[in-house]
Amino acid sequence: MPDYGHPLRFGTFVTPVNAPPDQPVRLAQLSEELGFDLVTFQDHPYQPAFHDTWTLLTWVAARTERIGLAGNVLNLPLRQPAVLARSAASLDLLSGGRLSLGLGAGAFWDAIEAMGVPRLTPGQSVEALEQAIEVIRGVWDTDSRGPLRAGGEHHHVAGAKRGPAPAHDIPIWLGALKPRMLRLIGRSADGWLPSQSYLQPGDLQRGNATIDEAARDAGRDPREITRLLNIGSLGAEEIARLATEDGVSVFIVASDDERTLQRMAHEVIPAVRDLVDAQRVTSGTQQAGRIRNQIALARRLPGIAYDDVPASLAETAVEPGDRGYARYTSSYLRGGAPGLVLRPHTIAQVQDAVGFARAHRDVPLGLLSAGHGISGRSVNHGGLVVDLGALDEVTLLDEATARVRVGPGARWIDVARALAPHGLAVTSGDYGGVGVGGLATAGGIGWFAREHGLTIDHLRSVDVVLADGSLVHASDDENADLFWAMRGAGANFGVAVSFELEAARVGQVGFAQLVLDASDLPGLLERWGSAIESAHRTVTGQLVLGGARPGTPRYAQAMLVVDSDDPDTIIERLGPIAQVAPLLDQSVVLASYDEVMGAFHQEGPQRGQGEPLSHSGMVRHLTAELAAEVTALLDAGASYFLQVRAVGGAVADVDADATAYAWRDAAFNLAAFGTPASGFDAWWRRLEPHFEGMYLSFESDEGPDVVARAFPPAHLARLRDLKRRYDPTGLFRDNFFIEPAADAVA
């Protein structure tokens, strides 16, 4: 049989004895120390001398850091598939994606029957295993909408909830020998896991042929299926022969003897690798990358050179036919259907991704940190998406200076939680699920805006991968012009891969939620504006308004943070604001900043679809004229959600020319959602004469006129010059594109 070209991996097969209780755990830890790739345990829960295998796997996961984990193989008649699926997903999440699921149809049936499980015929066992696989994968498939209905006579679910999704695509390996089971592997499984001790001469060749034929009949590439083998203490030559002639790529050493494991790790395995590498060079065998089936290949889009994806990114790339693709068909509010998602885990891989994007200059390019952006530009239709979620570092560099390094893929709730034990915080929007990358390059209007300014005002340096693939460091002292542009227009200039920020000292704060009578909405807006502008700088907040509802009293919801842990001070500073209108309800609590950031944050996938309609405007004051126009817009039902956010204070302390974000004199930002049917665009245009600029993060429109409203003329001219210098071909053009100046000096 041919060599399937899979990378060689080696594991151990440890007996799960419970006397002494920690022996299998120690052998698992030794396996990790010796460099084995995985540790596996047999599953015979009717044996009183054995640990329960699932409990043991969980304990070993907690006591190790790197090594993969698997049952070898789990006894399916004693493991209910829907429950097993959730257990596996949970363990995979907790272990950082280290689980593989080895399954068997059941053996030692006398013992199984003694535990109250009816015996199955060989044919029924195949049916049961196939139904179990369908149920397990269905539970993991959180991309699909609606309840799960799957399985058949032996295992089925009727309307079960899906999830949780595991940390990675958990492979399902089957321990089997008979032809019907082998054909099931070819149709549905990810790996074949027999034991050498049960094999007769020629069984591997015949088994591979049966699996390969079934795979091709099912529209699969036989290379999708990993060939594993439980072995004894074989020599290097025999293992290498099994790899190059019988296609085995994962060898699992069945031994509880430490000296045997040490000899295999130090002597045999290195020799096997040398022999197989030499044979592959001689035979011209190409190492298989990620293999996709015919259905997945048929979903590829024209114009994207899928086979040219850099090797560093190929294994983790997501195509329309892949499991997990649905993650990229929704952002917070917007739907998408990208042609290819690249998921770099290192800065070097980001550089590779940018290089691939340069070669595909004619397709859209989205940069995704967490997917919360209102405009939804992080996903697209038919283009490339670079998902930076794996670059999620949050490291406190120096507690004395409050310097913290943060990756673009982290979320602000992660940053808040990491800094809270140190009494630190970075002002960063008002919702914990927002990704760092998008907000830290646009502005960042958050709960401490009036006291600490914008997020970008705390940015001390940023590392950026430019359009040409080079990595540069930008700060006040190095590439200062790029640093200026990255603070407010960063999406146009490269991929930010690391931020250094200076946090502020923050303890507990007062978090107030007030419900105000808005029957006199124009008066409320004017009084709110005056009260906020006069408030102590430690007070920052927002007012949320909705459309008028017939027969329902109008109200407004106010949310405010007071940076103080003294209740009397909090009440004193909130008092004037609470008096701007009759108070219908109130809640004021002491909370940590990370608790405030998490108050409205929910874990789980984004579900946005369609095209959002959102507009933004910056104003110096909430005047009577503006208040009248806002009231008319809401009375007309043109907007179902309108938010007035406080800025001013420390935001205005920064010179308008210091960053690309320029609207420092504005005391408020207005942002609203609407629909085309409500006439939202026309009504919003009536407000625009009152604005001086707008905030791109709350804007869904695009085009040169939008960019012209987002930056003053002098700022925009400078940005166009810098665009010409750093991205002259406009590679980064799909997030409020700033056209390069034609006459700029490069």
Side-chain angles (χ1 to χ4, degrees), residues 620-677:
R620 294 194 181 197
H621 309 289
L622 297 181
T623 63
E625 294 77 13
L626 175 60
E629 292 287 3
V630 169
T631 301
L633 178 148
L634 291 171
D635 285 345
S639 173
Y640 55 87
F641 179 95
L642 190 146
Q643 183 182 61
V644 182
R645 294 189 181 212
V647 271
V651 177
D653 292 343
V654 178
D655 189 274
D657 294 330
T659 62
Y661 179 101
W663 311 111
R664 298 289 179 170
D665 289 339
F668 299 97
N669 170 262
L670 273 63
F673 296 111
T675 66

Side-chain angles (χ1 to χ4, degrees), residues 234-245 251 263 267-269 271-273 275-276:
L234 298 180
E237 293 80 5
E238 176 61 14
I239 296 175
R241 188 197 65 75
L242 289 166
T244 57
E245 296 182 15
F251 296 91
R263 182 180 65 82
E267 301 175 16
V268 177
I269 291 175
V272 171
R273 294 190 186 280
L275 289 168
V276 172

Side-chain angles (χ1 to χ4, degrees), residues 295-552:
I295 296 173
L297 294 176
R299 294 178 181 173
R300 288 180 165 182
L301 302 181
I304 299 177
Y306 293 92
D307 293 334
D308 294 340
V309 172
S312 66
L313 297 165
E315 285 299 311
T316 59
V318 177
E319 298 182 12
D322 292 342
R323 287 198 296 269
Y325 175 74
R327 158 69 182 91
Y328 303 100
T329 61
S330 292
S331 60
Y332 183 60
L333 293 176
R334 185 175 186 248
L340 176 65
V341 181
L342 302 177
R343 301 191 293 180
H345 285 67
T346 67
I347 292 175
Q349 290 175 0
V350 174
Q351 293 174 292
D352 291 342
V354 170
F356 188 80
R358 280 200 310 277
H360 294 77
R361 176 62 183 75
D362 55 339
V363 301
L365 173 62
L367 303 178
L368 171 66
S369 53
H372 184 82
I374 298 299
S375 69
R377 307 299 173 203
S378 53
V379 296
N380 55 45
H381 291 267
L384 305 178
V385 169
V386 180
D387 179 359
L388 301 165
L391 277 68
D392 58 355
E393 175 188 13
V394 182
T395 301
L396 182 59
L397 301 174
D398 185 348
E399 189 161 357
T401 61
R403 292 293 181 97
V404 56
R405 183 169 58 236
V406 183
R411 303 167 306 167
W412 287 110
I413 186 65
D414 305 324
V415 179
R417 288 170 177 165
L419 296 181
H422 305 279
L424 298 171
V426 177
T427 181
S428 53
D430 58 9
Y431 180 79
V434 173
V436 166
L439 185 136
T441 54
I445 301 174
W447 293 114
F448 294 133
R450 297 185 68 249
E451 182 181 17
H452 296 302
L454 304 173
T455 304
I456 59 173
D457 298 336
H458 294 264
L459 186 59
R460 298 297 171 255
S461 69
V462 56
D463 293 329
V464 187
V465 174
L466 300 178
D468 64 4
S470 60
L471 175 67
V472 299
H473 183 75
S475 67
D476 282 332
D477 302 318
E478 187 176 353
N479 295 303
D481 53 356
L482 177 62
F483 188 50
W484 178 88
M486 291 298 296
R487 290 175 292 169
N492 264 272
F493 291 91
V495 183
V497 293
S498 181
F499 300 90
E500 184 174 331
L501 295 135
E502 184 176 328
R505 306 286 170 184
V506 176
Q508 282 199 310
V509 300
F511 181 49
Q513 297 183 74
L514 312 178
V515 179
L516 301 169
D517 182 342
S519 54
D520 175 19
L521 182 54
L524 168 60
L525 286 169
E526 282 191 81
R527 293 189 295 273
W528 171 268
S530 298
I532 290 293
E533 290 190 61
S534 302
H536 195 277
R537 281 193 172 197
T538 56
V539 180
T540 301
Q542 57 187 261
L543 190 68
V544 178
L545 304 166
R549 298 180 181 179
T552 302

Side-chain angles (χ1 to χ4, degrees), residues 1-4 204-205 208 227 241-248:
M1 292 298 296
D3 180 351
Y4 295 96
L204 281 177
Q205 295 92 328
N208 280 331
R227 320 301 160 116
R241 188 197 65 75
L242 289 166
T244 57
E245 296 182 15
D246 294 321
V248 180

